[in-house]
Amino acid sequence: MADANNTTGGEEVSFEADPKLEANASNAGPAAINFEAADDLAEPKRSSTQQLKDEASKLGTQAADRAREFAGQGKERATTALDEVAKMFEGAALDVDSRLGEEYGRYARSAAQGISSFADSLRGKEVDDLISDATELVKKSPVIAVGAAAAIGFVVARLIKSGVDAASEPNDA
């Protein structure tokens, strides 16, 4: 039954069975014949599914690596900014010393030292460690995390609003 040629009215019709289909006639009668795909037809479907899974996994890994890279850059910017703030506090401590006395200047130096040590500890940690520390903080103190997020959101909204307001005002030149 692999090849059968039939002519009808001068026209030749060719019937070719797919060699990958197997006939199963275990029960008697023509109605009981099952055509099932051979096992090697299911293999390409599994391999394409596996290929899709592998590609998705690769893309996920690339995205995570890219996010870590951006987080590392953000960490560098943050530590540089913290160092600048610490220097500003040191400079302010000198002004406070001369105007109000050394006792008050000591507070400014203490704040500068705290900021500087925080920047150093931040610089010494890997991004994954920072993420796990933040996760632990949120688990231990969700109220503080929500409050900090709200405060940061408020500050960012004010900064954006002030930038939009400044951009919409006409420039007097």
Side-chain angles (χ1 to χ4, degrees), residues 20-38:
K20 293 183 180 175
L21 293 177
E22 298 174 354
N24 182 0
S26 59
N27 297 340
I33 296 176
N34 283 331
F35 287 95
E36 297 175 5

Side-chain angles (χ1 to χ4, degrees), residues 81-167:
L82 287 171
D83 287 338
E84 292 297 319
V85 169
K87 287 178 187 175
M88 285 177 20
F89 269 80
E90 283 290 331
L94 294 173
D95 287 343
V96 170
D97 281 345
S98 65
R99 291 185 185 177
L100 300 175
E102 285 186 29
E103 303 131 21
Y104 295 107
R106 200 173 310 133
Y107 294 126
R109 276 190 208 70
S110 174
Q113 181 61 37
I115 292 169
S116 182
S117 65
F118 177 69
D120 290 341
S121 70
L122 193 64
R123 194 175 285 113
K125 289 188 177 187
E126 294 295 321
V127 172
D128 291 335
D129 295 336
L130 293 172
I131 291 171
S132 67
D133 289 351
T135 303
E136 279 299 313
L137 176 69
V138 169
K139 285 180 183 177
K140 287 180 182 176
S141 307
V143 174
I144 292 173
V146 169
I152 291 170
F154 177 76
V155 169
V156 169
R158 295 292 291 178
L159 288 172
I160 291 171
K161 184 178 182 326
S162 66
V164 169
D165 289 345

Side-chain angles (χ1 to χ4, degrees), residues 2-115:
D3 290 329
N5 291 330
N6 188 5
T7 43
T8 57
E11 203 177 300
E12 187 174 310
V13 179
S14 175
F15 297 98
E16 296 179 17
D18 188 351
K20 293 183 180 175
L21 293 177
E22 298 174 354
N24 182 0
S26 59
N27 297 340
I33 296 176
N34 283 331
F35 287 95
E36 297 175 5
D39 288 340
D40 60 342
L41 280 181
E43 187 60 35
K45 186 181 274 186
R46 274 188 234 131
S47 67
S48 353
T49 303
Q50 187 60 39
Q51 284 176 340
L52 286 174
K53 286 180 183 177
D54 292 345
E55 280 297 315
S57 175
K58 188 191 311 182
L59 288 174
T61 302
Q62 288 174 349
D65 291 344
R66 191 82 166 155
R68 280 187 185 88
E69 181 182 326
F70 284 133
Q73 291 171 356
K75 182 182 87 162
E76 280 301 313
R77 286 189 205 123
T79 55
T80 302
L82 287 171
D83 287 338
E84 292 297 319
V85 169
K87 287 178 187 175
M88 285 177 20
F89 269 80
E90 283 290 331
L94 294 173
D95 287 343
V96 170
D97 281 345
S98 65
R99 291 185 185 177
L100 300 175
E102 285 186 29
E103 303 131 21
Y104 295 107
R106 200 173 310 133
Y107 294 126
R109 276 190 208 70
S110 174
Q113 181 61 37
I115 292 169

